[in-house]
Amino acid sequence: MSLESNIAELVKASNALTGTVNGKIADIDRRVDVKIQQMEDWRKENTPERRIVIDFTIGGSKDFFYPVWWRLRAAGESGTHQVSIVRNYAWNGGESERPLNASSVHQAGLLLEMEGSDVAWGGDAKFLEIKRFSETYNPTVSHVSHAMYCKQYRIDVNKPAYNSIPEGTLAACNMVLSGAYLRGGGLNYRVISNLPLDFGFHDGKGEERELARYEHVNTRWVASPIALASRTAPPQTLNAFVDAPTA
């Protein structure tokens, strides 16, 4: 066999081997891709939902409810925002505390589960729905609203108001925050959210809190404590389908 023939045979064998190797590599790549996808699917199914917890205390008087406020994320960005406010019935039940029941560890239990999206001024889907509400032993929450209950004032009294709500009237008028009012007296509470939450609360010291102001609409919103006697309890649900009137 000539040298040229030997070279040709070697080239042919080399090409065949290269094709075989390439085929094996492609097969390995496919198997790796399948395994990566399986691992990603497993990770998604077994990764617990994000849970952000904020513990806080409302001081002041047990005869008043104090404002707490938050800003819901837009559904178009992150899906439905879930926010819960809770407290264990025995929190603040130590013998040196007991602001609501002096003779018992039973103080007040609270479960307020909400879902919502965006703010009243938002351009996305916007709502606040109470999914579950229950409290035990003593009332703890009042005036839950998507547009937080506040008092509205003009920044410049020489310019017109943003809307027709009388200044200083408590109304669901805050266009940038949702909120509620929680009972004071040194009670401990917990907020649980599935998304990062811009959350604030009145610690019971002093009176009003200015929560927001917007020069371009000549408006500022102020929140003040609400007396126990003026409480407005949340309904068991704010679900429009559940609460729709029947024919």
Side-chain angles (χ1 to χ4, degrees):
M1 182 179 291
S2 67
L3 178 61
E4 290 79 3
S5 298
N6 287 333
I7 293 174
E9 288 297 326
L10 287 172
V11 170
K12 183 179 178 180
S14 176
N15 288 340
L17 181 60
T18 299
T20 301
V21 171
N22 288 339
K24 292 292 185 181
I25 291 174
D27 184 56
I28 292 171
D29 287 342
R30 285 192 295 271
R31 293 184 182 185
V32 169
D33 289 341
V34 169
K35 184 58 66 176
I36 289 174
Q37 186 59 53
Q38 290 175 344
M39 292 177 65
E40 180 65 18
D41 293 341
W42 182 91
R43 184 191 66 79
K44 290 179 180 179
E45 292 177 0
N46 292 275
T47 299
E49 185 175 58
R50 186 163 36 181
R51 188 173 185 267
I52 296 164
V53 176
I54 303 170
D55 292 326
F56 63 101
T57 301
I58 303 291
S61 169
K62 66 181 179 61
D63 296 322
F64 282 86
F65 295 91
Y66 295 85
V68 299
W69 53 91
W70 59 87
R71 188 181 180 103
L72 295 169
R73 296 296 181 99
E77 300 172 0
S78 309
T80 303
H81 198 161
Q82 300 170 2
V83 179
S84 297
I85 302 177
V86 302
R87 61 163 280 122
N88 181 281
Y89 78 95
W91 286 354
N92 310 107
E95 292 184 4
S96 62
E97 296 181 272
R98 299 184 178 178
L100 302 183
N101 292 332
S103 61
S104 173
V105 69
H106 301 76
Q107 295 299 301
L110 171 64
L111 171 64
L112 177 63
E113 286 189 358
M114 299 168 284
E115 288 185 351
S117 175
D118 215 339
V119 300
W121 261 347
D124 213 326
K126 44 186 177 283
F127 72 98
L128 178 71
E129 180 180 319
I130 294 178
K131 304 294 291 184
R132 296 174 184 84
F133 166 65
S134 179
E135 56 186 10
T136 57
Y137 300 108
N138 284 289
T140 53
V141 63
S142 182
H143 287 77
V144 180
S145 181
H146 182 256
M148 183 178 178
Y149 275 88
C150 288
K151 295 176 182 178
Q152 183 173 285
Y153 296 95
R154 288 176 290 171
I155 297 171
D156 185 342
V157 296
N158 297 312
K159 294 181 179 179
Y162 163 67
N163 56 33
S164 60
I165 296 175
E167 288 190 273
T169 300
L170 183 65
C173 62
N174 195 314
M175 303 299 288
V176 295
L177 293 170
S178 299
Y181 287 72
L182 298 178
R183 194 165 183 178
L187 294 180
N188 296 332
Y189 296 89
R190 172 171 293 170
V191 170
I192 304 170
S193 174
N194 70 324
L195 297 171
L197 183 66
D198 297 326
F199 179 79
F201 64 96
H202 191 303
D203 60 5
K205 298 177 181 178
E207 286 296 318
E208 69 180 27
R209 294 284 191 277
E210 182 177 284
L211 304 186
R213 62 164 53 212
Y214 286 84
E215 302 284 346
H216 70 287
V217 291
N218 194 35
T219 300
R220 64 189 186 97
W221 288 288
V222 170
S224 303
I226 295 174
L228 182 62
S230 300
R231 182 195 187 214
T232 299
Q236 291 298 314
T237 176
L238 285 180
N239 187 311
F241 298 101
V242 173
D243 295 341
T246 56

